[in-house]
Amino acid sequence: MKYPKEYLDEIKTRLKVSTVVSKSVSLKKRGKEFVGLSPFKTEKTPSFTVNDEKEFYHCFATSEHGNIFDFIMKTQNLKFGEAVKSLANLAGMRPYTFSKQDEEREKNWQEYCLIYNQYVEFYHEKILKNENLTVARDYLKKRNLTKEEVKKFKIGFVERNSNFYEKLKNEFSEKVLLECGLFYYDEKKNIYIERFRDRIIFPINNISGQPIGLGGRTIQETNYLAKYINSPETPFFKKGSNLYNLDLARKLSNKIDHVYLVEGYMDVVGLSKNGIENVVANLGTSLTDKQIIILNQFFEDIIICFDGDESGYKAALRAAENSIKELQPEKQISFLFLPDGEDPDSYANKNGKVNFIDFTKQSKISIHQFIFNHYKKQTENNPSSMAIFEKKLRSIASTIKDDFIKKYVLEFFLEKISSLTPHSNVGKKQFYTKKIKSLQTTQKYFNESKSLSGVELKEFSLLYLIMNNLDTFQDNLHLIENIKLFSDENRLIYETLLTKLKSGEKLTIQEIPIDPQLIEKINKFASIKHILNNNQNNQDKMFELLEEISRDLKNYDLEFRIEELESKFSKDLSESTFNEIRELKKQKNIN
């Protein structure tokens, strides 16, 4: 018995040839194709090519040529049925079994396809040719849709009094027509009624391009009708396993590495109209694991872009917490938040393709950064709140299926929490002002010091040390020449001091052009002054303090660079970036 063509086609559409071949052949991208050493003979110069767009491989050395089934059969010495089972498993599809139930299911599937094809074509032709459908046509014009978009997405309109059931009942059984989800039975009137009557309809295709469901948008502004409805789930249509426009968007995956995931049909159509065609929509339900897995088959970066309102944000949060579990090495999930009140359709219509792409580059954030930012906003600065915060992030990280990604996402969360709670980091140098219970006489000093960062206070100590030991450091310039300062004001003072010391002239602090108010500020807040006052004329102690300050400032620089790289790593998940972070952390520990 033969496998149904639709089953084989779905395997081929779910799996790129390069995905299958790369399991056993090391491939390199070259233009639109991939090249590698032939798996069919020993060679030193690559003669083996893979073309995902045309869905074949070709070996110039041996003339071997074929699709993914041929490749598996020839390289693994499998029969066709075994190859199908292997690839179906890789594609995440159920194994096909040949039984009487399967034969019946195949017959039902063929009827289901015929019903949907006829239904979609009939109402698509209606809206194109029936000039009396002015309300529906005006609605599409109002949404800036041209005939080109209507044709591309096979958009249709079901009139209020339509009854396509009467036409279909002569060809299909009552049971089959009821199960397809296009009609429902009205017991009072004893008739079958169109589920999508008085609605614009958007065909939902499977990955091969066959319509298997519908989305419907009412053109009446009423409170008692849902604005959007979808086909009910059927044996052949599962909302959580399909995505609107995936059949068209997947064909772009050879040229574009990212895909936009939006909420609505009109968002897809609107972005496409503006030249952004790598876009899909979920089907009115929360984003599912299956939908993420399917998109990962084709794209490197999934950019989730929901409406810029409160409900859109809540939907994005649900999507983030559910989809982070499917995060994989070399794959990204990002979020793009539009200005309040905008949706992808309206934003693209107002601003165009170039602006939308630029906005994406500037504004998208990684999934783990989004989750961290959300829960951080809800956290109060007390131990109980911070404990709940950390527990929540650990719980989210623990759901990630890939162990490597789980490890690095958890580390990202904990490092971020660590930066918020410096007092809890035992054994680590932290740049913060130690808070003590202040008496009324020191309240002013305490309030002023709170506005200074830890690194500024450390820099004050360095400058205080130099200004009060000008002669010593003029003779030992090499000890202070290459210290990095971070605040602009302090760096300018440091550079002024170095310039004067290098002149070789004997100096006093009064002869150096530094604002007296800045000198007063340094003298006031440099914590080192108390130690120096107790160790006057002790040059060894002075050099020891200099070494400690230099080490702390270097560690601050390392922490800053590590934070930058971690932000980069959260986007590219690159092994080289991670190795660089690890090397910098080693240096920090050594210091």
Side-chain angles (χ1 to χ4, degrees):
M1 192 176 291
K2 289 184 178 180
Y3 281 96
K5 181 177 181 298
E6 289 76 15
Y7 184 78
L8 301 178
D9 285 346
E10 182 157 358
I11 293 174
K12 285 197 290 184
T13 50
R14 286 194 183 205
L15 295 175
K16 293 182 181 181
V17 184
S18 60
T19 301
V20 176
V21 172
S22 63
K23 301 289 183 185
S24 56
V25 178
S26 179
L27 297 176
K28 290 185 179 179
K29 195 86 163 66
R30 186 178 292 173
K32 291 184 177 180
E33 296 186 329
F34 293 87
V35 298
L37 297 175
S38 173
F40 304 111
K41 68 170 292 185
T42 303
E43 63 179 8
K44 294 183 179 179
T45 303
S47 66
F48 182 78
T49 64
V50 171
N51 191 310
D52 283 331
E53 200 169 340
K54 297 178 180 177
E55 299 184 343
F56 70 76
Y57 67 87
H58 182 80
C59 177
F60 288 93
T62 63
S63 296
E64 292 284 358
H65 180 99
N67 58 28
I68 54 175
F69 300 107
D70 300 316
F71 183 81
I72 292 294
M73 289 165 65
K74 290 173 182 176
T75 57
Q76 298 185 23
N77 195 27
L78 298 177
K79 293 179 180 179
F80 180 70
E82 294 171 325
V84 172
K85 288 179 183 176
S86 174
L87 290 171
N89 181 58
L90 184 61
M93 293 171 59
R94 61 176 181 82
Y96 196 90
T97 54
F98 298 99
S99 64
K100 287 186 178 180
Q101 289 88 346
D102 290 313
E103 288 182 35
E104 183 66 24
R105 180 184 170 87
E106 179 61 21
K107 176 178 173 290
N108 292 341
W109 164 247
Q110 295 298 337
E111 289 182 322
Y112 189 89
C113 290
L114 286 171
I115 291 168
Y116 266 90
N117 282 329
Q118 288 187 39
Y119 195 92
V120 167
E121 288 293 340
F122 180 80
Y123 288 115
H124 176 57
E125 288 295 313
K126 276 272 187 181
I127 203 166
L128 287 177
K129 296 179 179 178
N130 189 343
E131 294 182 1
N132 294 324
L133 300 179
T134 53
V135 177
R137 287 183 162 203
D138 288 346
Y139 172 80
L140 295 177
K141 286 177 184 175
K142 181 182 171 185
R143 298 300 297 262
N144 299 311
L145 297 190
T146 66
K147 185 179 283 189
E148 184 180 346
E149 284 81 55
V150 173
K151 285 183 174 180
K152 178 178 179 179
F153 293 96
K154 289 230 168 161
I155 296 170
F157 178 69
V158 181
E159 294 175 83
R160 183 187 295 272
N161 298 317
S162 292
N163 195 352
F164 200 58
Y165 180 88
E166 292 299 317
K167 180 179 184 304
L168 292 173
K169 74 177 184 179
N170 298 322
E171 190 177 348
F172 304 98
S173 69
E174 182 179 0
K175 177 177 179 292
V176 169
L177 289 174
L178 188 60
E179 286 179 349
C180 74
L182 295 171
F183 315 97
Y184 66 89
Y185 184 67
D186 186 326
E187 292 183 353
K188 290 182 179 179
K189 296 180 180 179
N190 195 31
I191 58 172
Y192 282 94
I193 293 177
E194 301 261 357
R195 187 179 299 276
F196 293 93
R197 67 192 184 283
D198 214 19
R199 289 179 183 269
I200 300 286
I201 57 171
F202 302 84
I204 301 166
N205 299 336
N206 66 8
I207 203 166
S208 304
Q210 164 64 42
I212 56 173
L214 293 177
R217 207 286 187 193
T218 181
I219 56 174
Q220 300 179 40
E221 297 302 324
T222 63
N223 294 325
Y224 62 88
L225 285 176
K227 187 183 290 186
Y228 282 97
I229 62 171
N230 290 316
S231 293
E233 297 215 339
T234 71
F236 305 108
F237 174 59
K238 307 296 179 189
K239 295 175 190 176
S241 301
N242 291 279
L243 291 152
Y244 181 64
N245 197 46
L246 180 61
D247 57 313
L248 299 179
R250 72 174 181 84
K251 296 175 181 177
L252 303 170
S253 62
N254 296 319
K255 306 169 188 174
I256 302 173
D257 64 358
H258 61 280
V259 63
Y260 291 97
L261 175 61
V262 296
E263 285 187 280
Y265 307 107
M266 285 303 303
D267 291 326
V268 171
V269 177
L271 287 175
S272 176
K273 181 176 73 72
N274 285 283
I276 302 165
E277 298 180 276
N278 52 321
V279 55
V280 297
N282 60 335
L283 305 176
T285 60
S286 296
L287 191 61
T288 66
D289 305 358
K290 188 73 176 288
Q291 289 168 328
I292 293 295
I293 291 168
I294 291 169
L295 288 175
N296 274 339
Q297 292 276 3
F298 300 102
F299 298 97
E300 306 302 317
D301 187 8
I302 302 168
I303 304 171
I304 298 173
C305 179
F306 289 167
D307 295 355
D309 55 19
E310 186 178 355
S311 65
Y313 181 86
K314 288 179 179 177
L317 182 63
R318 288 195 302 271
E321 292 188 353
N322 193 46
S323 58
I324 194 171
K325 64 183 73 167
E326 299 299 338
L327 204 56
Q328 298 177 20
E330 300 179 4
K331 300 287 182 179
Q332 295 182 58
I333 300 174
S334 310
F335 282 79
L336 180 66
F337 293 99
L338 298 173
D340 192 27
E342 296 280 11
D343 57 39
D345 176 33
S346 66
Y347 189 89
N349 281 325
K350 287 178 188 175
N351 301 288
K353 176 181 179 179
V354 174
N355 185 284
F356 191 90
I357 291 172
D358 287 344
F359 182 78
T360 299
K361 291 177 181 176
Q362 295 167 14
S363 306
K364 75 169 185 172
I365 62 171
S366 66
I367 185 170
H368 39 288
Q369 184 70 65
F370 167 46
I371 289 172
F372 180 88
N373 290 350
H374 171 77
Y375 285 105
K376 179 175 176 288
K377 288 175 189 174
Q378 300 183 13
T379 303
E380 299 175 2
N381 189 23
N382 64 65
S384 177
S385 181
M386 292 302 295
I388 293 169
F389 179 39
E390 180 174 335
K391 185 177 180 181
K392 180 66 177 177
L393 293 182
R394 282 181 178 273
S395 174
I396 290 171
S398 71
T399 66
I400 298 172
K401 295 176 182 176
D402 185 275
D403 288 337
F404 290 102
I405 295 296
K406 181 190 297 185
K407 172 186 174 184
Y408 295 126
V409 168
L410 179 59
E411 183 174 326
F412 173 84
F413 285 156
L414 296 181
E415 286 282 345
K416 285 288 187 180
I417 292 171
S418 174
S419 69
L420 299 176
T421 55
H423 290 75
S424 67
N425 292 283
V426 179
K428 293 184 180 179
K429 291 285 183 184
Q430 295 293 332
F431 302 97
Y432 61 93
T433 307
K434 186 176 181 181
K435 296 179 181 178
I436 57 173
K437 188 175 182 180
S438 55
L439 300 172
Q440 190 173 1
T441 54
T442 60
Q443 187 66 52
K444 184 180 178 183
Y445 174 88
F446 178 70
N447 290 336
E448 289 176 354
S449 66
K450 277 202 303 184
S451 66
L452 300 170
S453 69
V455 73
E456 282 182 290
L457 294 171
K458 189 63 65 174
E459 289 170 347
F460 286 161
S461 286
L462 173 69
L463 296 174
Y464 183 90
L465 187 63
I466 296 172
M467 289 190 304
N468 286 278
N469 295 277
L470 292 172
D471 291 344
T472 300
F473 286 114
Q474 193 163 41
D475 295 334
N476 294 276
L477 267 173
H478 64 284
L479 296 177
I480 60 171
E481 273 186 308
N482 298 310
I483 300 174
K484 184 175 180 179
L485 276 70
F486 299 89
S487 51
D488 293 338
E489 196 174 71
N490 289 341
R491 186 165 57 248
L492 186 60
I493 296 171
Y494 169 73
E495 289 169 355
T496 302
L497 286 168
L498 276 184
T499 301
K500 286 296 182 181
L501 290 172
K502 286 178 181 178
S503 70
E505 301 172 7
K506 291 297 178 185
L507 301 166
T508 62
I509 192 62
Q510 290 76 19
E511 296 172 300
I512 299 177
I514 301 174
D515 187 333
Q517 287 185 332
L518 294 179
I519 294 176
E520 182 183 349
K521 188 177 181 181
I522 291 167
N523 289 336
K524 186 174 183 180
F525 292 109
S527 58
I528 199 176
K529 64 185 178 185
H530 305 295
I531 302 173
L532 279 180
N533 289 340
N534 294 327
N535 291 274
Q536 290 181 359
N537 302 319
N538 186 340
Q539 200 171 74
D540 290 339
K541 185 63 177 179
M542 181 174 48
F543 290 150
E544 183 184 323
L545 290 169
L546 175 66
E547 185 179 351
E548 182 183 329
I549 294 169
S550 301
R551 184 172 61 247
D552 287 348
L553 289 172
K554 184 177 180 181
N555 272 337
Y556 183 86
D557 185 34
L558 288 171
E559 286 180 357
F560 182 74
R561 288 163 62 193
I562 288 167
E563 187 174 332
E564 283 188 324
L565 286 170
E566 284 178 336
S567 176
K568 180 185 175 188
F569 177 71
S570 71
K571 296 173 184 175
D572 63 22
L573 296 175
S574 159
E575 185 178 350
S576 62
T577 305
F578 174 71
N579 288 336
E580 196 172 346
I581 293 170
R582 187 166 57 183
E583 187 57 38
L584 288 178
K585 285 186 175 180
K586 280 183 186 176
Q587 291 181 35
K588 183 166 171 282
N589 289 334
I590 291 170
N591 286 331

